[in-house]
Amino acid sequence: MSDTSAFSEPNEASFGDYFALLKPRVMSLVIFTALVGLLVAPGGVNPVVGFASILFIAVGAGASGALNMWYDADIDAVMKRTASRPVPSGLVTAGEAFAIGITLSVMATVMLALAANFVAAGLLAFTIFFYAVVYTMWLKRWTPQNIVIGGAAGAFPPMIGWAVVTGGVSLESSLMFLLILTWTPPHFWALALFMKEDYSKAGVPMLTVTHGRPVTRKHILAYTVALIPVSIGLGLTSIGGPVYMASAVLMNLWFLKGAVAIWRRPEDVASADKYRVEKSFFRFSLIYLFLSFGALLTEATLKTYGLGGW
Amino acid sequence: MGLSHEHEIHKRRMSRNLGVGVVLGAFVILVFALTVAKLNRGEPMQATDHSLRIDQLEASE
């Protein structure tokens, strides 16, 4: 009997499946914002140390993603968008995701402490703890404000990048943190408005489900308004300058215009045109964040030529 | 179907082994590069002796 079933276990994961545990797309945003935080900080850092630090920040962020996939496998399996992740699809066991998450968390933190300094490593450890424990285990299933506080985890990377160079926290790095923190809710809730996922089936309290869509629209506007002083305030600090300020003013006006339009739209109009305004607002939110940090980077680059800054 | 037949599973295992190998190799190179960078910057090169040295006394005074 030529039975090869002993070898044909269908759930043999490839390297890419393990890499997918680290949420590569989230990681790319972490790398970008952490890199900007590192490059705009005064003083500069050895390029090898800088490269290694960004890498360990990215690995730390990825590790918290793996821990998230370990803990949230039950939710991910229910929702269409996440059902194909490595754990719910059966390629990687939850235990493996947990082991990889913990191991990489510790390694990334220790290596960042050795490569850069203890402040940066401490912030990274706190970020991982915040995302894996405070957000994933506690707030996500408990409050509709989950993504507001969860957004903090995504807001830490530029602060860590800054700490790699300066060894501390400052007004500038705090404002970069606040910028991502207040940007996250309008960004994510706009997505929630047009991606009608079955959060209620998964047991995740989303604002659109718990308080209704009109309330979500109000919240988008409120956080967009809160974002403006942060964005403009960042332009007044030592890392701001005319280029950043000009782009910040324009982008905030455009963002606010979109938020007001979302707030004013009745639900039947929105579903009639297939959430056109919400979708374009969501797309612009990505451009907003990318250009904000890009403008900070431009100011820092101009400074090396004696231009830029105030 | 001889013994040399390669199943899909072997390909995935190969990708995993290769991936882990490359990552470990890259990590070794990175730690070495960090060492070179830090030593060039003139950081302390002597590890602890687990007992007090004279130069440590002088530094603290």
Side-chain angles (χ1 to χ4, degrees):
Chain A
M1 196 173 134
S2 60
D3 187 3
T4 55
S5 64
F7 298 103
S8 58
E9 197 182 327
N11 299 337
E12 184 85 10
S14 70
F15 187 73
D17 297 318
Y18 287 102
F19 186 66
L21 282 177
L22 307 183
K23 300 193 176 181
R25 277 170 62 194
V26 176
M27 222 149 92
S28 63
L29 190 69
V30 167
I31 290 173
F32 175 64
T33 56
L35 185 66
V36 172
L38 185 140
L39 291 175
V40 300
V45 70
N46 181 295
V48 178
V49 173
F51 171 79
S53 301
I54 296 294
L55 186 74
F56 297 133
I57 296 169
V59 170
S64 65
L67 290 172
N68 169 275
M69 288 204 202
W70 155 69
Y71 195 81
D72 274 353
D74 58 332
I75 295 180
D76 289 350
V78 176
M79 293 197 295
K80 210 169 57 185
R81 179 173 60 93
T82 51
S84 59
R85 284 181 175 173
V87 178
S89 68
L91 284 167
V92 176
T93 67
E96 280 178 306
F98 177 73
I100 289 172
I102 289 286
T103 309
L104 288 183
S105 296
V106 173
M107 265 191 74
T109 308
V110 171
M111 286 308 297
L112 188 63
L114 294 173
N117 55 63
F118 283 95
V119 175
L123 285 171
L124 180 65
F126 185 72
T127 306
I128 297 168
F129 168 78
F130 202 87
Y131 187 71
V133 177
V134 177
Y135 171 70
T136 302
M137 295 186 190
W138 182 31
L139 293 169
K140 187 175 177 180
R141 296 168 198 237
W142 180 61
T143 163
Q145 296 293 316
N146 46 17
I147 57 149
V148 179
I149 302 130
F156 273 113
M159 197 184 231
I160 306 174
W162 179 280
V164 164
V165 180
T166 65
V169 176
S170 70
L171 177 68
E172 291 88 346
S173 71
S174 305
L175 282 172
M176 284 192 281
F177 169 85
L178 277 178
L179 184 76
I180 303 181
L181 183 73
T182 37
W183 165 88
T184 310
H187 165 77
F188 208 92
W189 279 327
L191 179 77
L193 279 176
F194 65 81
M195 290 267 289
K196 290 184 169 175
E197 281 203 87
D198 210 347
Y199 286 109
S200 48
K201 198 167 84 184
V204 180
M206 269 313 263
L207 196 62
T208 44
V209 178
T210 56
H211 290 72
R213 306 167 79 80
V215 174
T216 308
R217 292 171 186 279
K218 241 181 252 169
H219 272 69
I220 289 177
L221 180 63
Y223 277 98
T224 305
V225 169
L227 177 63
I228 295 171
V230 177
S231 172
I232 301 295
L234 186 58
L236 297 173
T237 63
S238 68
I239 58 171
V243 175
Y244 174 86
M245 206 47 135
S247 72
V249 168
L250 290 176
M251 285 195 300
N252 278 305
L253 281 175
W254 190 253
F255 208 43
L256 184 64
K257 189 171 159 275
V260 170
I262 285 183
W263 171 58
R264 281 194 176 155
R265 266 155 81 83
E267 202 52 48
D268 49 339
V269 176
S271 66
D273 69 1
K274 291 183 177 143
Y275 300 96
R276 200 172 45 82
V277 175
E278 288 80 0
K279 280 178 184 167
S280 79
F281 181 82
F282 175 77
R283 268 195 302 272
F284 181 70
S285 70
L286 285 167
I287 298 170
Y288 179 99
L289 195 71
F290 184 76
L291 286 187
S292 292
F293 279 85
L296 288 176
L297 199 55
T298 308
E299 292 288 356
T301 314
L302 287 174
K303 250 178 226 171
T304 59
Y305 297 105
L307 301 158
W310 294 113
Chain B
M1 211 172 97
L3 281 172
S4 62
H5 175 73
E6 190 172 302
H7 197 273
E8 162 71 16
I9 201 172
H10 296 115
K11 273 189 205 145
R12 294 196 208 165
R13 245 174 230 168
M14 183 64 186
S15 100
R16 233 158 60 192
N17 296 341
L18 208 66
V20 171
V22 168
V23 167
L24 287 178
F27 185 65
V28 170
I29 293 168
L30 184 68
V31 170
F32 181 66
L34 268 175
T35 310
V36 172
K38 292 209 163 212
L39 290 184
N40 277 335
R41 210 163 58 182
E43 294 202 2
M45 298 180 201
Q46 192 166 4
T48 176
D49 287 341
H50 301 285
S51 64
L52 223 47
R53 292 195 308 266
I54 293 171
D55 57 328
Q56 286 173 317
L57 281 176
E58 282 168 350
S60 66
E61 273 163 16

Short mmCIF file of all heavy atoms in Angstrom, two decimals, chain A residues 91-119:
data_model
loop_
_atom_site.label_atom_id
_atom_site.label_comp_id
_atom_site.label_asym_id
_atom_site.label_seq_id
_atom_site.Cartn_x
_atom_site.Cartn_y
_atom_site.Cartn_z
N LEU A 91 -2.43 27.39 9.10
CA LEU A 91 -1.05 27.16 8.66
C LEU A 91 -0.08 27.19 9.83
O LEU A 91 0.89 26.46 9.88
CB LEU A 91 -0.65 28.22 7.63
CG LEU A 91 -1.23 28.00 6.23
CD1 LEU A 91 -1.05 29.24 5.39
CD2 LEU A 91 -0.56 26.81 5.56
N VAL A 92 -0.35 28.08 10.77
CA VAL A 92 0.51 28.23 11.93
C VAL A 92 -0.37 28.04 13.16
O VAL A 92 -1.50 28.55 13.20
CB VAL A 92 1.15 29.64 11.94
CG1 VAL A 92 1.97 29.85 13.20
CG2 VAL A 92 2.01 29.84 10.72
N THR A 93 0.11 27.31 14.16
CA THR A 93 -0.71 27.13 15.36
C THR A 93 -0.63 28.38 16.22
O THR A 93 0.32 29.16 16.13
CB THR A 93 -0.23 25.93 16.19
OG1 THR A 93 1.06 26.23 16.72
CG2 THR A 93 -0.18 24.66 15.37
N ALA A 94 -1.64 28.57 17.06
CA ALA A 94 -1.67 29.73 17.94
C ALA A 94 -0.46 29.71 18.88
O ALA A 94 0.13 30.75 19.18
CB ALA A 94 -2.96 29.75 18.75
N GLY A 95 -0.07 28.51 19.30
CA GLY A 95 1.08 28.38 20.19
C GLY A 95 2.37 28.85 19.53
O GLY A 95 3.19 29.52 20.16
N GLU A 96 2.51 28.54 18.25
CA GLU A 96 3.70 29.00 17.52
C GLU A 96 3.72 30.51 17.42
O GLU A 96 4.76 31.15 17.59
CB GLU A 96 3.71 28.39 16.10
CG GLU A 96 4.20 26.97 16.04
CD GLU A 96 4.14 26.43 14.62
OE1 GLU A 96 3.06 26.49 14.00
OE2 GLU A 96 5.18 25.97 14.14
N ALA A 97 2.54 31.09 17.12
CA ALA A 97 2.45 32.55 17.02
C ALA A 97 2.84 33.19 18.35
O ALA A 97 3.56 34.19 18.38
CB ALA A 97 1.03 32.97 16.63
N PHE A 98 2.39 32.59 19.44
CA PHE A 98 2.72 33.10 20.77
C PHE A 98 4.22 33.02 21.03
O PHE A 98 4.85 33.99 21.47
CB PHE A 98 1.96 32.31 21.83
CG PHE A 98 2.28 32.71 23.24
CD1 PHE A 98 1.81 33.90 23.75
CD2 PHE A 98 3.06 31.89 24.05
CE1 PHE A 98 2.10 34.28 25.05
CE2 PHE A 98 3.37 32.27 25.34
CZ PHE A 98 2.89 33.47 25.85
N ALA A 99 4.81 31.86 20.71
CA ALA A 99 6.24 31.66 20.94
C ALA A 99 7.07 32.65 20.12
O ALA A 99 8.01 33.27 20.63
CB ALA A 99 6.64 30.23 20.59
N ILE A 100 6.70 32.81 18.84
CA ILE A 100 7.44 33.74 17.99
C ILE A 100 7.27 35.17 18.50
O ILE A 100 8.23 35.94 18.57
CB ILE A 100 6.94 33.61 16.53
CG1 ILE A 100 7.42 32.27 15.95
CG2 ILE A 100 7.45 34.77 15.67
CD1 ILE A 100 6.83 31.95 14.59
N GLY A 101 6.05 35.50 18.90
CA GLY A 101 5.78 36.85 19.40
C GLY A 101 6.61 37.19 20.63
O GLY A 101 7.25 38.24 20.70
N ILE A 102 6.61 36.28 21.60
CA ILE A 102 7.36 36.52 22.84
C ILE A 102 8.86 36.58 22.57
O ILE A 102 9.56 37.49 23.02
CB ILE A 102 7.05 35.41 23.88
CG1 ILE A 102 5.63 35.56 24.42
CG2 ILE A 102 8.06 35.43 25.01
CD1 ILE A 102 5.45 36.71 25.39
N THR A 103 9.35 35.60 21.81
CA THR A 103 10.80 35.54 21.54
C THR A 103 11.28 36.81 20.84
O THR A 103 12.27 37.42 21.25
CB THR A 103 11.12 34.31 20.66
OG1 THR A 103 10.52 33.17 21.26
CG2 THR A 103 12.62 34.11 20.55
N LEU A 104 10.56 37.18 19.77
CA LEU A 104 10.99 38.36 19.02
C LEU A 104 10.83 39.64 19.85
O LEU A 104 11.63 40.57 19.73
CB LEU A 104 10.22 38.48 17.70
CG LEU A 104 10.58 37.44 16.64
CD1 LEU A 104 9.80 37.71 15.36
CD2 LEU A 104 12.07 37.44 16.34
N SER A 105 9.81 39.71 20.71
CA SER A 105 9.64 40.89 21.58
C SER A 105 10.86 41.08 22.45
O SER A 105 11.42 42.19 22.54
CB SER A 105 8.41 40.72 22.48
OG SER A 105 7.25 40.66 21.74
N VAL A 106 11.26 40.00 23.12
CA VAL A 106 12.40 40.09 24.04
C VAL A 106 13.68 40.42 23.27
O VAL A 106 14.46 41.30 23.65
CB VAL A 106 12.56 38.76 24.83
CG1 VAL A 106 13.84 38.78 25.65
CG2 VAL A 106 11.35 38.55 25.73
N MET A 107 13.87 39.70 22.15
CA MET A 107 15.08 39.93 21.36
C MET A 107 15.16 41.37 20.86
O MET A 107 16.21 42.02 20.95
CB MET A 107 15.12 38.99 20.16
CG MET A 107 15.90 37.73 20.42
SD MET A 107 16.15 36.83 18.90
CE MET A 107 17.38 37.83 18.12
N ALA A 108 14.05 41.87 20.32
CA ALA A 108 14.05 43.22 19.76
C ALA A 108 14.34 44.25 20.85
O ALA A 108 15.13 45.19 20.64
CB ALA A 108 12.71 43.51 19.10
N THR A 109 13.74 44.05 22.02
CA THR A 109 13.94 45.02 23.10
C THR A 109 15.38 45.01 23.60
O THR A 109 16.01 46.06 23.76
CB THR A 109 12.98 44.70 24.27
OG1 THR A 109 11.66 44.60 23.75
CG2 THR A 109 13.03 45.79 25.32
N VAL A 110 15.90 43.81 23.85
CA VAL A 110 17.28 43.70 24.34
C VAL A 110 18.27 44.26 23.31
O VAL A 110 19.18 45.03 23.65
CB VAL A 110 17.62 42.23 24.68
CG1 VAL A 110 19.10 42.06 24.97
CG2 VAL A 110 16.80 41.75 25.86
N MET A 111 18.05 43.91 22.05
CA MET A 111 18.96 44.37 21.01
C MET A 111 18.88 45.89 20.82
O MET A 111 19.89 46.54 20.56
CB MET A 111 18.68 43.67 19.68
CG MET A 111 19.15 42.23 19.62
SD MET A 111 20.88 41.98 20.08
CE MET A 111 21.72 42.91 18.81
N LEU A 112 17.68 46.47 20.97
CA LEU A 112 17.57 47.93 20.85
C LEU A 112 18.29 48.61 22.02
O LEU A 112 18.93 49.64 21.84
CB LEU A 112 16.10 48.36 20.79
CG LEU A 112 15.88 49.85 20.48
CD1 LEU A 112 16.42 50.22 19.11
CD2 LEU A 112 14.41 50.25 20.58
N ALA A 113 18.20 47.99 23.20
CA ALA A 113 18.90 48.55 24.36
C ALA A 113 20.41 48.54 24.12
O ALA A 113 21.11 49.49 24.45
CB ALA A 113 18.55 47.74 25.62
N LEU A 114 20.91 47.46 23.53
CA LEU A 114 22.35 47.34 23.29
C LEU A 114 22.79 48.23 22.13
O LEU A 114 23.85 48.86 22.19
CB LEU A 114 22.72 45.88 22.99
CG LEU A 114 22.53 44.91 24.16
CD1 LEU A 114 22.76 43.48 23.68
CD2 LEU A 114 23.47 45.25 25.30
N ALA A 115 21.96 48.30 21.08
CA ALA A 115 22.34 49.09 19.91
C ALA A 115 22.20 50.58 20.17
O ALA A 115 23.07 51.36 19.81
CB ALA A 115 21.50 48.69 18.70
N ALA A 116 21.09 50.97 20.82
CA ALA A 116 20.84 52.40 21.03
C ALA A 116 20.96 52.75 22.51
O ALA A 116 22.06 52.99 22.99
CB ALA A 116 19.46 52.76 20.49
N ASN A 117 19.85 52.78 23.21
CA ASN A 117 19.89 53.11 24.63
C ASN A 117 18.66 52.55 25.35
O ASN A 117 17.75 52.02 24.72
CB ASN A 117 19.98 54.63 24.82
CG ASN A 117 18.84 55.35 24.10
OD1 ASN A 117 17.67 55.14 24.42
ND2 ASN A 117 19.18 56.15 23.09
N PHE A 118 18.64 52.70 26.67
CA PHE A 118 17.59 52.08 27.46
C PHE A 118 16.26 52.82 27.36
O PHE A 118 15.20 52.23 27.55
CB PHE A 118 18.02 51.95 28.93
CG PHE A 118 18.97 50.80 29.13
CD1 PHE A 118 20.34 51.00 29.12
CD2 PHE A 118 18.47 49.52 29.32
CE1 PHE A 118 21.21 49.93 29.29
CE2 PHE A 118 19.32 48.45 29.48
CZ PHE A 118 20.71 48.65 29.46
N VAL A 119 16.31 54.12 27.07
CA VAL A 119 15.05 54.87 26.92
C VAL A 119 14.29 54.35 25.70
O VAL A 119 13.10 54.04 25.78
CB VAL A 119 15.32 56.39 26.80
CG1 VAL A 119 14.03 57.14 26.54
CG2 VAL A 119 15.99 56.91 28.06
#
